[in-house]
Every structure is written in C-alpha cells, then in structure tokens.
Amino acid sequence: MSDSKKSTREKAASARAAAEASERRRERTVRFAIFGVVALVVLGIIGAVLWTTRSKPAPTPENTALPAGVAAPGYGAPVGTATKPVLDVYEDFQCPACAAFEKAAGATVDELVANGQVKVVYHPMNFLDANLGNDSSTRAAAAFGCAVDAGVTLKYHDIVYANQPATEGVGYTDEQLKSFGQQAGLSGAQLDTFNACVDAKTYLGWPTLSNQAASENGVTGTPALFLNGSKLSNEDIASAEAFKAKILAAAGQ
C-alpha cells in the first residue's frame, strides 16, 4: 500500500472518530430553552433526573422548623395577596435552569404578584447539594426562610438568583446570604434578627421537606411550575407572553 493511500485512510478514520466523539458529547449535553434563553446545563438537568430516578427523598430531618406561612403538605412559601390562581414553583437555588427562568420571567412574575393577579408559592429544594458536593442549596433555602419571616420573600428570592455564581458548584457563602438581606431592604433590628436567623441555620431542614413534597407531586426536574395544580407544558412557557396569558386566563382576565 502506498504511503498516500495509507495517509488518506488514516485521515478518514480520524475524521470518523472525531465525528463520533462529537456526537457522544452532543448527546451528553442537555440543551433546552426557557423563554428564548438557551442554557447548556449538564449537572443542573442531569441532577434533577438522578434525584427522581435513582435517589429516594431523604428521611424527615431532625430540624423541622418552618418559616412563617409555610406548612405541610406542600411546604411552600406563599407570596402575594391573591387567593387564585396559584402558581407553585419548585426550584433549587443552585440550579442554572432556575436562574435562567428567573432572568427571563422573574419580572413578569413580580408584576403579576404586585397586581394581585396570581399567588406564587415557592418550594426551595436542595437535591443539587449531593450532585455538586456542597450544602449551598440547603443554606440558601434556610436563609430564604429567614427572609420569609422578615417579610421580604420576593425581593430576597430574586436577589439570590441574580447573584447565583457563574461557576456551578461554587455556591453561596453565609456572608453573601446575609448581605442579600440588606440588599432586600432590611436594616436595623430587622436586619439583626435576619442575620441571627441565618447564623443559627434555623430552617436548615425546610428544603428536605420540600424535596419530599416535590416527589409526592411528581416533580421530575427544576424549575417545575404548576398552575392550580396542573403542570405547565413547554407550550405554556414558550414565551413570556404565553406564560403571562396563561396566568391571566386562569385569573379570569
């Protein structure tokens, strides 16, 4: 065999191998769009799948303290003055997809809540802690509980996502979580009480209880949105306009 033919065959084999490797990488990468924001997430989405298919919800934690207004069986923190419709949001503060949803739809949710057109119930979860090897989701959820007590639920929620670390797995420090309270408008004695609550990790068991509720409600990944108990489809959240229209229709507007 001539050197030129051998070289051609080697190049062809190398090209095939490269193409196959590229296809394998493509299959391992989960691509999804939320309101036109395309996110490339591996740990976030795969973590959600592993939580539902390979892991059982953790046993009830020793610390079962709950923030004001949070109760079984859903263990969600309600926001807004509306009584209906009710939008349940299951999320993990370390979830990149949840941050993408917040970036794209957070302003719409805030507007609907402010106008009394929807009641939002946030269910903070912590399943990504196991995937990422930290306890950041748990601590962020616990600090969120302190914000619920302080009456800055929505503001604190939005600030946490706005400051989600760019590198997945880095997580939030306790100092960051406390600083978010001040950014949410807390000061003086209110801020002192909030900081003490965060330091004491008062609501450390809350996200585990949320995990259990999510499992019972058939949540298979985050973010998961349920409107009046029915899970919203991809079509329902295909755009900010479609999402808002779905909420307003449920509100009879």
Side-chain angles (χ1 to χ4, degrees):
M1 181 185 299
S2 67
D3 290 342
S4 61
K5 289 183 178 180
K6 182 177 180 181
S7 177
T8 299
R9 289 187 178 182
E10 287 176 347
K11 288 180 179 179
S14 178
R16 285 196 300 271
E20 290 171 357
S22 177
E23 177 63 14
R24 287 194 296 271
R25 287 194 298 271
R26 186 192 67 80
E27 292 174 351
R28 286 198 298 267
T29 302
V30 180
R31 288 174 170 82
F32 64 97
I34 300 176
F35 298 161
V37 178
V38 177
L40 299 181
V41 179
V42 177
L43 287 177
I45 295 303
I46 293 177
V49 173
L50 291 176
W51 171 69
T52 57
T53 61
R54 295 187 183 179
S55 302
K56 295 181 180 179
T60 301
E62 292 183 8
N63 180 353
T64 57
L66 297 172
V70 176
Y75 297 107
V79 181
T81 59
T83 55
K84 62 179 182 180
V86 177
L87 178 69
D88 285 279
V89 181
Y90 292 86
E91 58 188 3
D92 186 310
F93 282 120
Q94 288 194 96
C95 165
C98 299
F101 173 80
E102 177 62 28
K103 182 178 181 180
T108 299
V109 173
D110 292 357
E111 175 192 346
L112 293 169
V113 169
N115 292 339
Q117 294 168 311
V118 68
K119 176 181 180 180
V120 179
V121 183
Y122 289 112
H123 304 262
M125 300 166 64
N126 64 355
F127 68 92
L128 279 176
D129 281 353
N131 293 69
L132 299 175
N134 61 34
D135 64 350
S136 192
S137 295
T138 298
R139 289 185 296 100
F144 177 50
C146 298
V148 172
D149 282 353
V152 290
T153 305
L154 194 56
K155 288 182 179 179
Y156 191 88
H157 171 273
D158 294 354
I159 290 169
V160 174
Y161 277 119
N163 289 276
Q164 187 184 81
T167 302
E168 193 173 19
V170 171
Y172 307 93
T173 67
D174 285 344
E175 289 306 311
Q176 282 180 305
L177 294 172
K178 288 192 288 187
S179 73
F180 297 159
Q182 188 170 18
Q183 292 178 44
L186 298 178
S187 62
Q190 269 194 319
L191 181 59
D192 291 341
T193 299
F194 168 80
N195 287 339
C197 177
V198 175
D199 287 336
K201 296 179 171 52
T202 304
Y203 301 119
L204 211 61
W206 180 27
T208 299
L209 296 172
S210 288
N211 285 359
Q212 294 176 354
S215 179
E216 292 168 1
N217 287 324
V219 173
T220 57
T222 56
L225 286 74
F226 292 77
L227 184 60
N228 289 336
S230 297
K231 188 173 183 179
L232 294 181
S233 66
N234 291 336
E235 289 74 18
D236 295 330
I237 59 174
S239 68
E241 292 75 16
F243 174 67
K244 184 175 181 178
K246 188 74 176 180
I247 300 296
L248 293 179
Q253 299 179 23

